[in-house]
Amino acid sequence: MEHAKEFPKFGCAISNTEEEYDSEVETFFTAMASLESDIGLLLSKDREWKENYEKILRYLADLETSIIFKRGAPESDFLKDLLDDVDSQDEIPDVLLRAKTEAPAILIRAQSKARDVMSLYVKMSRIPRFAEGFTYARFGGLQSLRKSLFRRAVESSKQ
């Protein structure tokens, strides 16, 4: 008898459909919230970069709004400005072993979550009812975000 009952659904603003809570779109926004939470932790753990974390949080909020309401892609050029021209050759264990605070570990976790968000974003773009919200133009800043978080982890581990 228990199988006959249906779990509640939520109204998805992107597709104007009723979705299950295990749907890909719910998973995407949960991953975004987890990434935002780590960025929020970094506001107090890495005060030197506080202004950048605030910009990142605004960018992520604008990205969510852009996806949901199908508005133009949010400005992400500031993320490219956070990158230097040299790709880091540091390995994650080296960064963590050298760190004197917990900020590099949170940054490593955040950049991993950014990669998860990127993966889920691509999956969402392939689902016809969500594709209009998950366009290539809106995807652009996520890769720069991931790279800038890793670069900051490397930099802060050397302080």
Side-chain angles (χ1 to χ4, degrees), residues 39-60 78-79 81-82 145 148-149 152:
I39 302 301
L41 280 172
L42 289 162
L43 285 167
S44 62
K45 299 291 184 188
D46 185 12
R47 304 286 296 165
E48 183 180 327
W49 240 48
K50 184 178 188 288
E51 185 177 311
N52 291 326
Y53 296 130
E54 290 171 349
K55 289 179 186 177
I56 289 169
L57 284 172
R58 281 191 220 93
Y59 162 75
L60 292 171
F78 78 96
L79 293 166
D81 295 340
L82 298 177
L145 171 61
S148 66
L149 292 172
R152 180 61 186 158

Side-chain angles (χ1 to χ4, degrees), residues 6-145:
E6 281 195 41
F7 285 100
K9 296 181 179 185
F10 68 93
C12 178
I14 300 170
S15 63
N16 293 319
T17 59
E18 292 291 309
E19 295 288 326
E20 303 280 345
Y21 277 98
D22 67 348
S23 76
E24 294 88 350
V25 73
E26 183 73 358
T27 303
F28 172 82
F29 285 107
T30 300
M32 284 284 284
S34 183
L35 172 58
E36 291 165 333
S37 178
D38 275 355
I39 302 301
L41 280 172
L42 289 162
L43 285 167
S44 62
K45 299 291 184 188
D46 185 12
R47 304 286 296 165
E48 183 180 327
W49 240 48
K50 184 178 188 288
E51 185 177 311
N52 291 326
Y53 296 130
E54 290 171 349
K55 289 179 186 177
I56 289 169
L57 284 172
R58 281 191 220 93
Y59 162 75
L60 292 171
D62 291 347
L63 178 61
E64 290 175 3
T65 300
S66 174
I67 291 168
I68 293 169
F69 297 108
K70 300 166 190 81
R71 296 182 182 153
E75 177 58 45
S76 62
D77 286 344
F78 78 96
L79 293 166
K80 292 176 188 165
D81 295 340
L82 298 177
L83 300 171
D84 53 28
D85 292 334
V86 180
D87 273 336
S88 174
Q89 299 302 314
D90 290 79
E91 299 288 333
I92 291 172
D94 296 330
V95 172
L96 297 173
L97 287 167
R98 158 174 80 225
K100 293 174 182 62
T101 69
E102 61 191 349
I106 298 169
L107 282 154
I108 294 293
R109 185 175 61 200
Q111 72 89 31
S112 295
K113 288 177 181 180
R115 189 180 298 267
D116 290 342
V117 166
M118 291 165 61
S119 176
L120 291 166
Y121 188 104
V122 171
K123 286 180 182 180
M124 296 305 304
S125 74
R126 295 179 180 146
I127 300 172
R129 69 183 183 276
F130 299 120
E132 189 180 349
F134 291 86
T135 63
Y136 182 78
R138 290 185 186 102
F139 181 80
L142 290 172
Q143 189 161 359
S144 295
L145 171 61

